[in-house]
Amino acid sequence: MTGVLSSAMSPMHTDPENRREQGRPATSGLGRRALLATGAALAAAVGAAAEPVANNSRPRRGGAAPDTSPIAFHGLRQAGLTQPQLPAAHMLSFDLPPTSVTADRETLRNVLAALTHTLSTAAAGTLPEPRLHTGETTRLACVVGVGPAIASRLGLNVPPELADLPTFPDDRLDPARGHGDVLLQLCAADRWTPTVVAELATTAVQSAGAVPRWTQSGFLPHTAPGVTPRNLFGFKDGTANPDEPTAQRWVWGPPGAHQNGTILVYRRIHMDVAGFAAIPEDRQNTMIGRRAADGIPLTGTAEHDDPDIYAKHPDGAYVIPATAHVRLSSPRLDRGARMLRRSYNYDDGPNDRGLLFCAYMRDPALFTRVQNRLAARDALLPFIEHRASAVAYVLPGATPNEPLGHHLWT
Ligand code: HEM
């Protein structure tokens, strides 16, 4: 066994199993540099199609000055996924009351056209809405998707992988806070912009024939560029995310109609924040498999080191324990398949705080595999409860001539 350690803080070794691909970390040492180089070449080759999968957690070169430039609504991919995560999020879900397939297809077309118009003018700062004229540049990033139920009912051209999730053990899902035919996420630097735009978007889609189903607001701490935000358990959340070449394989669709689309899995997860906070920090660290203080994996020396789930202590025990969250969610257990996590925290009163888990992937079967492992033995289980769920096909971006979802009808 080559993965034996002399101490938990010693440099880790990796056993041969680890060296076989199994999701060789996109974020470690030479492999990561090589991948970034490949990514740069690829981006140059395919131009705008390879807009980066930006995330707060990914180190950026240059100064740390916050970006104040407007965020373009149009693009091959929706800006809500290509921009670094903005700290305030507002999610909205709408249903289309079923009538006939022909009429409902027309309604959905109108809803998506209305959203495209409202969101593009809001992002451009040209909406005649005094509440948005703050004297500062509007920075709004949106994600719009359609749910699996309406896609199958209306025979839409969506990825074949789009499907609702199975039920998992201990799910306590409130249907009124989940699912939906059209899903919208609005993100900005603070709550003001998403709140106002949500109101305008709701008016627009209601006029087009949709009805509101649920809304949910979320937030992140403001962090310097490149610094991973924390969740309410105090841990950095979003560290191990794929870089662009890895995301092209596992997050975005294959070449064709869906290549700039992806599938969102949303879970509203209640967290017992006080109960978790009462646990000693070293125990918290072994429950996650990373250190709360700096996000460094228990087997590494830097935040973006890949957790080595095969490394062992001299006594044969795994350094990252069997029930640790990052072991059970490790891409090594999924042949390297990765999801892009861009979650938000929520606070809905003293008895309900938690995580709006938002993960994007080509095939939501990945979520199901990971969640089945987590639901069986994740050390976090006594402190969390899944309370709502939604899946949506995140549409490719709109162009000035083609609204969101223009390819759904072919
Ligand atoms: C409240 C619930 C959850 C909390 C507090 C939580 C927290 C964390 C933390 C702190 C990390 C390590 C830092 C990072 O890489 O981002 C992490 C990693 C991860 N989590 Fe969660 N998580 C939760 C739910 C979930 C769920 C439901 C899934 C999917 C079914 C999931 C999938 C992952 C994955 C894939 C990783 C990265 C593993 C790796 O590549 O090393 N998490 N999570």
Side-chain angles (χ1 to χ4, degrees):
M1 186 73 229
T2 54
V4 173
L5 288 179
S6 54
S7 102
M9 296 307 293
S10 303
M12 293 294 118
H13 302 283
T14 300
D15 74 10
E17 179 68 17
N18 230 1
R19 279 192 283 271
R20 286 202 299 267
E21 196 332 65
Q22 293 286 332
R24 188 67 224 153
T27 48
S28 71
L30 191 61
R32 181 167 186 278
R33 284 193 296 276
L35 276 175
L36 287 176
T38 317
L42 208 65
V46 296
E51 290 162 24
V53 179
N55 188 288
N56 274 351
S57 67
R58 305 187 63 219
R60 278 181 257 160
R61 280 192 222 106
D67 197 345
T68 54
S69 53
I71 297 172
F73 177 80
H74 297 117
L76 292 176
R77 294 173 181 167
Q78 292 194 58
L81 283 185
T82 59
Q83 285 293 312
Q85 253 183 300
L86 293 165
H90 197 72
M91 301 184 69
L92 301 96
S93 169
F94 301 91
D95 279 339
L96 265 62
T99 56
S100 71
V101 168
T102 313
D104 294 351
R105 280 171 74 98
E106 191 54 26
T107 303
L108 181 61
R109 224 185 248 276
N110 293 338
V111 165
L112 293 174
L115 274 178
T116 305
H117 176 72
T118 306
L119 301 179
S120 60
T121 45
T126 54
L127 266 184
E129 168 55 58
R131 286 175 295 170
L132 292 176
H133 299 160
T134 60
E136 292 202 349
T137 313
T138 302
R139 299 196 81 240
L140 173 71
C142 314
V143 175
V144 177
V146 295
I150 193 148
S152 81
R153 185 160 68 81
L154 303 187
L156 305 178
N157 178 22
V158 296
E161 294 84 3
L162 181 68
D164 218 337
L165 301 171
T167 303
F168 299 99
D170 299 325
D171 271 1
R172 296 280 180 277
L173 305 183
D174 177 355
R177 284 185 176 270
H179 310 290
D181 291 334
V182 176
L183 220 81
L184 169 60
Q185 188 183 62
L186 304 169
C187 299
D190 62 40
R191 287 189 62 166
W192 183 258
T193 303
T195 302
V196 174
V197 176
E199 183 190 309
L200 302 172
T202 301
T203 305
V205 302
Q206 276 184 304
S207 313
V211 293
R213 183 179 172 96
W214 54 267
T215 67
Q216 176 69 56
S217 60
F219 58 93
L220 293 174
H222 282 260
T223 50
V227 174
T228 313
R230 291 179 188 267
N231 61 38
L232 291 173
F233 282 165
F235 277 77
K236 294 187 172 212
D237 198 328
T239 298
N241 261 335
D243 60 9
E244 174 58 26
T246 312
Q248 285 202 13
R249 168 73 185 84
W250 299 111
V251 178
W252 302 103
H258 309 302
Q259 71 179 5
N260 292 307
T262 178
I263 294 175
L264 162 68
V265 174
Y266 164 77
R267 306 283 285 186
R268 184 175 181 277
I269 307 175
H270 168 82
M271 290 165 39
D272 176 4
V273 176
F276 189 83
I279 296 173
E281 191 172 314
D282 57 349
R283 173 78 190 111
Q284 293 181 348
N285 294 346
T286 55
M287 290 166 79
I288 294 287
R290 289 179 178 268
R291 299 196 318 216
D294 45 26
I296 297 177
L298 301 185
T299 54
T301 55
E303 183 191 344
H304 290 278
D305 286 351
D306 193 52
D308 183 348
I309 61 172
Y310 302 106
K312 291 185 172 179
H313 290 296
D315 66 1
Y318 282 119
V319 178
I320 296 180
T323 58
H325 184 76
V326 300
R327 165 183 295 282
L328 296 167
S329 57
S330 173
R332 290 164 198 263
L333 305 178
D334 291 296
R335 297 174 179 273
R338 282 182 178 267
M339 56 183 89
L340 170 66
R341 288 169 299 121
R342 292 169 63 101
S343 301
Y344 284 87
N345 305 303
Y346 76 84
D347 182 352
D348 289 347
N351 299 319
D352 192 11
R353 293 192 284 161
L355 190 72
L356 306 176
F357 176 87
C358 296
Y360 302 85
M361 60 208 85
R362 185 182 286 187
D363 185 352
L366 171 61
F367 176 88
T368 300
R369 290 198 302 274
V370 176
Q371 179 55 19
N372 272 327
R373 295 198 296 268
L374 291 174
R377 59 203 305 227
D378 188 4
L380 297 181
L381 282 180
F383 302 94
I384 61 175
E385 189 171 86
H386 289 234
R387 292 190 171 175
S389 180
V391 176
Y393 169 43
V394 174
L395 303 166
T399 69
N401 303 319
E402 291 166 318
L404 288 167
H406 63 92
H407 67 295
L408 289 173
W409 324 103
T410 52

